[in-house]
Amino acid sequence: MSLVNHSAPSTRDANLYIQRRARLQRIGDMKPFNGWVEEIRERQVRIRLGPSKQMLSPGDKLSVEVAGKEHTAVFIGEVVLAAEWIVELAITEGVDLQPKKESPRVNMFGERCKLYFEDAEIIAISVDISERGLGLVMTCELQPGTSMEFEVGTQLGTICGTGTILYSRADPFSANRFRAGIEVSGLAPADQEKWNMLQDFPPVPW
């Protein structure tokens, strides 16, 4: 499939990438970073970075991929501002809209979540969601392949469903914390409608 090239996303198209996961790679040493797109205006993009042992500085150039609902936006950005975990990038060339490589992940950090197993109830905090996935952080490790029920708070109200633990691993940046991913397999019709709406839900202003 041929690439569609744009000098910069239109305002309408840009909104499809707000609060979506961004994957970044520094040109030169190929160091990876990740974060969430917070703002897009004209030819500048603001990204809140995730934890990293590496730092970015003004002048660094990055290859950036942001998975949207229909396409993956790919561009080269130069760091014009780096303040702790916030970076602002100037788009130095065009933006290529490529076929999706993965389901877009939408930032939903900080919502309380309960996981129900046959013999236990675990409290977790949401990180992100996708069409069929839910990312979490918690204080215990889970067994991949385990089935469970869950309920998670969202901007549209509580959603209940069933799923399977895809992975569970220690957080390298925080002691006694674990990251887990759930494959969502069952939602009631009303909850499915909310889940679908969250994929396009307007983000809370930062």
Side-chain angles (χ1 to χ4, degrees):
M1 181 180 296
S2 61
L3 301 183
V4 180
N5 185 275
H6 300 267
S7 59
S10 68
T11 301
R12 179 180 178 184
D13 291 339
N15 288 337
L16 299 177
Y17 298 93
I18 299 296
Q19 296 295 355
R20 268 52 176 183
R21 170 75 80 181
R23 299 184 186 277
L24 308 89
Q25 190 171 62
R26 185 160 55 196
I27 296 174
D29 62 8
M30 308 303 285
K31 294 294 185 182
F33 300 84
N34 65 77
W36 301 101
V37 176
E38 291 201 335
E39 185 179 11
I40 301 173
R41 62 181 189 279
E42 296 181 354
R43 296 186 60 81
Q44 287 198 323
V45 179
R46 175 177 291 187
I47 296 175
R48 178 177 294 276
L49 296 174
S52 174
K53 297 179 181 179
Q54 303 290 324
M55 299 296 293
L56 291 171
S57 302
D60 285 347
K61 290 189 175 182
L62 302 162
S63 174
V64 184
E65 294 186 0
V66 184
K69 187 173 182 179
E70 298 180 356
H71 300 93
T72 295
V74 180
F75 61 90
I76 302 298
E78 181 175 343
V79 178
V80 295
L81 172 67
E84 295 185 353
W85 300 114
I86 296 292
V87 295
E88 288 199 5
L89 307 177
I91 299 174
T92 59
E93 302 176 17
V95 177
D96 289 333
L97 299 182
Q98 301 183 359
K100 282 197 310 181
K101 299 179 181 179
E102 59 182 337
S103 295
R105 294 164 64 181
V106 182
N107 185 15
M108 199 176 76
F109 183 79
E111 299 286 359
R112 183 181 175 88
C113 182
K114 293 183 180 180
L115 308 181
Y116 299 101
F117 300 89
E118 288 186 359
D119 57 353
E121 175 183 324
I122 295 175
I123 302 298
I125 299 296
S126 67
V127 176
D128 56 39
I129 67 170
S130 63
E131 292 178 2
R132 304 301 302 175
L134 173 62
L136 303 169
V137 292
M138 62 199 67
T139 57
C140 62
E141 189 171 10
L142 301 176
Q143 179 63 43
T146 304
S147 298
M148 31 68 71
E149 297 180 355
F150 70 88
E151 62 179 54
V152 58
T154 77
Q155 293 168 301
L156 299 177
T158 300
I159 293 177
C160 301
T162 59
T164 304
I165 305 300
L166 280 179
Y167 66 85
S168 178
R169 52 178 174 257
D171 188 332
F173 302 102
S174 181
N176 302 317
R177 191 169 78 169
F178 296 84
R179 291 180 173 268
I182 295 174
E183 180 179 12
V184 178
S185 56
L187 294 167
D191 287 323
Q192 183 68 66
E193 182 178 2
K194 291 180 185 178
W195 196 268
N196 294 342
M197 291 176 65
L198 286 168
Q199 310 303 313
D200 300 313
F201 201 63
V204 175
W206 57 275

